[in-house]
């Protein structure tokens, strides 16, 4: 691994205007950290990566590198793009082993972070570094949000998240697991303000599965993707599985199911392959793992024996139209519905003055400020399902806005 990383690093051209950094949503200074690594300054390189993106190690695993840093590398034209992800992974992993922050004594205001997904962890770290007294409230027993309960082990080792938990604790950040804020949880946002929190950040993600609104979705052999990925071992999908949907989550379900013993997995999509929302690499990995695909199929009804699909055709405008009288039953033991997800309303339903969009997402300004003073939000609960690095990018701005608010409202 080390030889490979050095070999890759030496191929870097040290571009004066590095397109790899421009292609990264958080502007990772790729050429600078590579130069540091080659000069023997790996700790300094790690510090730079961490200060720019606290979730650098996680992003090295889960980013769509082919669209971002690696896809924009000038060497990509020759088909020999530098594997930035491997270099970032090596440096960041090494740095986190060295990072031994002693628990600082908080000297500034108390801040509540609701949700420990990418946005919550990022903001907690950034504010704790500035001396704020941070407490994370997490609904589940482990931190990580979608990274823990929505990304499979083979894509993101859970041990990485445990390392982040230890970093948070060493920074003096308090963690309250198994604690829901809002309706049904016992505590509300107003309770947090009552107890001395001067600002509240909401980063609860999107955990409510979207439905197809077709007959049969309540049957015992039908499941939702986001629920399945939270604990695959709780499910018995049988030998033959149909997945409806074609994003990265669908690929994760398909590849997980095969690893858990399902013999045959087929993904159905109502459009052609070129319209798949899954990344190129995730699609290639799915095919390599043996996942099958059926295109131009629209679900009509879920039955005990499988799913009835109609054929579809693509119009010149890129829309799909149903082919009349083309219904056909495709047999399966189980069905997983993977058509994205939306937010639950635990917090909004119990918080006066917090406005939502027509999709149930929290309304914010460009700096994460909500319609309720002192309450900020970012991540999927604001934008809908996005990537880890996109959540980090927005959350860096929100953290700065929270700090500015707290300085003005001590």
């Amino acid at each position: 691994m080390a030889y490979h990383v050095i070999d890759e690093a030496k191929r870097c051209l040290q571009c004066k205007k590095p397109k790899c950094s421009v292609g990264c949503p958080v502007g990772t200074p790729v050429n600078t950290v590579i130069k540091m690594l080659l000069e023997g300054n790996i700790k300094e390189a790690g510090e730079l990566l961490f200060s720019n993106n606290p979730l650098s190690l996680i992003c090295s695993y889960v980013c769509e590198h082919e669209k971002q840093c690696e896809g924009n590398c000038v060497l990509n034209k020759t088909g020999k793009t530098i594997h930035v992800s491997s270099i970032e992974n090596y440096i960041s992993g090494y740095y986190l082993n060295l990072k031994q922050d002693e628990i600082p004594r908080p000297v500034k205001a108390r801040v509540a972070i609701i949700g420990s997904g990418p946005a919550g962890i990022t903001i907690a770290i950034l504010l704790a570094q500035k001396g704020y007294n941070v407490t994370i409230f997490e609904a589940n027993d482990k931190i990580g949000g979608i990274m823990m309960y929505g990304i499979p082990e083979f894509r993101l080792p859970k041990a990485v998240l445990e390392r982040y938990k230890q970093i948070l604790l060493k920074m003096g950040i308090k963690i309250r697991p198994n604690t829901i804020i809002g309706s049904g949880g016992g505590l509300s946002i107003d309770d947090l303000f009552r107890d001395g929190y001067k600002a509240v950040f909401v980063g609860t993600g999107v955990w409510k599965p979207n439905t197809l609104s077709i007959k049969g979705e309540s049957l015992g052999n039908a499941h939702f993707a986001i629920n399945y990925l939270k604990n695959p071992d709780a499910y018995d999908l049988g030998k033959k599985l149909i997945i409806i949907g074609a994003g990265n989550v669908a690929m994760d379900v398909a590849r997980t199911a095969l690893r858990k013993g399902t013999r045959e997995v087929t993904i159905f999509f109502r459009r052609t392959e070129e319209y798949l929302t899954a990344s190129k690499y995730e699609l290639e990995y799915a095919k390599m793992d043996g996942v099958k695909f059926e295109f131009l199929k629209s679900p009509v009804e879920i039955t005990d024996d499988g799913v009835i699909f109609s054929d579809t055709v693509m119009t010149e405008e890129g829309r799909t139209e149903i082919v009349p009288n083309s219904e056909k039953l495709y047999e399966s033991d189980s069905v997983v519905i993977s058509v994205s997800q939306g937010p639950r309303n635990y917090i909004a339903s119990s918080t006066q003055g917090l406005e939502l969009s027509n999709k149930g997402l929290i309304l914010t300004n460009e700096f994460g400020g909500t319609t309720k003073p002192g309450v900020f939000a970012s991540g999927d609960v604001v934008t809908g399902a996005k990537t880890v690095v996109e959540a980090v990018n927005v959350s860096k701005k929100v953290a700065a806005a929270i700090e500015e608010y707290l300085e003005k409202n001590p």
Side-chain angles (χ1 to χ4, degrees), residues 171-334:
M171 295 181 70
I173 297 168
K174 301 178 185 68
I175 300 173
R176 286 190 59 169
N178 299 314
T179 305
I180 295 174
I181 304 298
S183 178
L187 293 174
S188 67
I189 284 182
D190 290 334
D191 291 332
L192 299 180
F193 284 125
R194 176 202 65 194
D195 291 343
Y197 292 90
K198 298 300 182 182
V200 176
F201 171 76
V202 181
T204 48
V206 285
W207 294 94
K208 181 181 178 181
N210 290 340
T211 67
L212 295 167
S213 297
I214 63 174
K215 185 178 179 181
E217 282 185 284
S218 68
L219 298 183
N221 60 333
H223 313 284
F224 293 110
I226 194 67
N227 297 338
Y228 172 74
L229 289 175
K230 189 172 183 179
N231 185 7
D233 291 332
Y235 292 78
D236 181 5
L237 299 180
K239 295 181 179 180
K240 195 170 185 179
L241 171 65
I242 284 176
I243 299 173
I244 302 172
N248 284 339
V249 172
M251 304 301 158
D252 285 344
V253 170
R255 298 177 65 200
T256 300
L258 287 169
R259 284 163 171 77
K260 296 296 182 180
T262 301
R263 300 286 182 84
E264 182 179 330
V265 177
T266 306
I267 288 177
F268 283 73
F269 187 48
R270 62 188 177 87
R271 309 177 85 179
T272 54
E273 182 171 346
E274 64 192 276
Y275 288 94
L276 285 173
T277 56
S279 71
K280 174 185 174 183
Y281 284 172
E282 290 307 310
L283 174 61
E284 290 177 350
Y285 274 119
K287 289 181 177 179
M288 185 169 62
D289 283 353
V291 179
K292 299 178 181 180
F293 291 83
E294 288 278 355
F295 297 104
L296 296 173
K297 306 292 181 184
S298 181
V300 175
E301 180 182 346
I302 297 172
T303 75
D304 289 321
D305 300 314
V307 183
I308 298 173
F309 288 92
S310 287
D311 293 336
T312 63
V313 294
M314 300 289 297
T315 67
E316 292 182 358
E317 296 78 18
R319 297 193 303 271
T320 58
E321 293 182 354
I322 300 293
V323 176
N325 303 316
S326 60
E327 294 85 357
K328 178 183 176 182
L329 173 66
Y330 290 80
E331 294 184 351
S332 70
D333 298 309
S334 296

Side-chain angles (χ1 to χ4, degrees), residues 60-103:
S60 73
Y61 286 100
V62 302
C63 272
E64 294 182 354
H65 301 101
E66 74 275 16
K67 292 182 180 180
Q68 298 165 356
C69 54
E70 294 175 8
N72 285 274
C73 174
V74 295
L75 293 177
N76 195 39
K77 296 179 181 179
T78 66
K80 296 181 178 179
T81 183
I82 293 174
H83 294 144
V84 176
S85 54
S86 296
I87 298 172
E88 182 180 28
N89 181 275
Y90 187 81
I91 296 173
S92 296
Y94 181 90
Y95 173 71
L96 290 189
N97 285 336
L98 297 178
K99 190 172 176 58
Q100 297 291 333
D101 294 284
E102 294 183 4
I103 298 178

Side-chain angles (χ1 to χ4, degrees), residues 2-223:
Y3 175 78
H4 166 69
V5 166
I6 294 299
D7 193 45
E8 285 295 290
K10 287 180 177 178
R11 294 200 302 114
C12 178
L13 300 178
Q14 289 295 311
C15 302
K16 292 183 179 180
K17 295 182 179 180
K19 293 184 178 180
C20 52
S21 296
V22 175
C24 174
V26 290
T28 299
V30 176
N31 59 336
T32 302
V33 297
I34 287 178
K35 183 179 180 181
M36 288 178 170
L37 174 67
L38 294 176
E39 291 176 346
N41 298 317
I42 187 172
K43 181 180 179 181
E44 289 76 9
E47 287 177 344
L48 180 56
L49 284 173
F50 190 85
S51 64
N52 177 69
N53 174 8
L55 302 189
S56 177
L57 178 59
I58 292 171
C59 287
S60 73
Y61 286 100
V62 302
C63 272
E64 294 182 354
H65 301 101
E66 74 275 16
K67 292 182 180 180
Q68 298 165 356
C69 54
E70 294 175 8
N72 285 274
C73 174
V74 295
L75 293 177
N76 195 39
K77 296 179 181 179
T78 66
K80 296 181 178 179
T81 183
I82 293 174
H83 294 144
V84 176
S85 54
S86 296
I87 298 172
E88 182 180 28
N89 181 275
Y90 187 81
I91 296 173
S92 296
Y94 181 90
Y95 173 71
L96 290 189
N97 285 336
L98 297 178
K99 190 172 176 58
Q100 297 291 333
D101 294 284
E102 294 183 4
I103 298 178
R105 186 177 182 84
V107 295
K108 296 183 179 179
R110 193 183 299 273
V111 181
I113 307 291
I114 305 175
S116 66
I121 291 178
T122 298
I123 290 180
I125 290 173
L126 294 176
L127 292 180
Q129 286 176 330
K130 296 294 183 69
Y132 289 96
N133 189 345
V134 178
T135 298
I136 294 176
F137 296 85
E138 169 55 47
N140 296 298
D141 60 335
K142 298 181 184 297
I143 70 160
I146 193 68
M147 299 181 294
M148 173 61 73
Y149 296 103
I151 299 179
E153 172 77 19
F154 57 81
R155 284 187 57 206
L156 178 63
K158 304 311 180 195
V160 173
L161 296 169
E162 179 59 30
R163 292 174 72 180
Y164 270 91
K165 177 182 177 181
Q166 297 308 314
I167 288 172
L168 295 174
L169 294 174
K170 289 176 182 177
M171 295 181 70
I173 297 168
K174 301 178 185 68
I175 300 173
R176 286 190 59 169
N178 299 314
T179 305
I180 295 174
I181 304 298
S183 178
L187 293 174
S188 67
I189 284 182
D190 290 334
D191 291 332
L192 299 180
F193 284 125
R194 176 202 65 194
D195 291 343
Y197 292 90
K198 298 300 182 182
V200 176
F201 171 76
V202 181
T204 48
V206 285
W207 294 94
K208 181 181 178 181
N210 290 340
T211 67
L212 295 167
S213 297
I214 63 174
K215 185 178 179 181
E217 282 185 284
S218 68
L219 298 183
N221 60 333
H223 313 284

Side-chain angles (χ1 to χ4, degrees), residues 181-185 188-189 344-356 360 362:
I181 304 298
S183 178
S188 67
I189 284 182
R344 293 169 175 164
N345 64 352
Y346 294 150
I347 291 177
S349 63
S350 62
T351 306
Q352 188 173 2
L354 193 64
E355 295 185 11
L356 306 178
I362 296 178

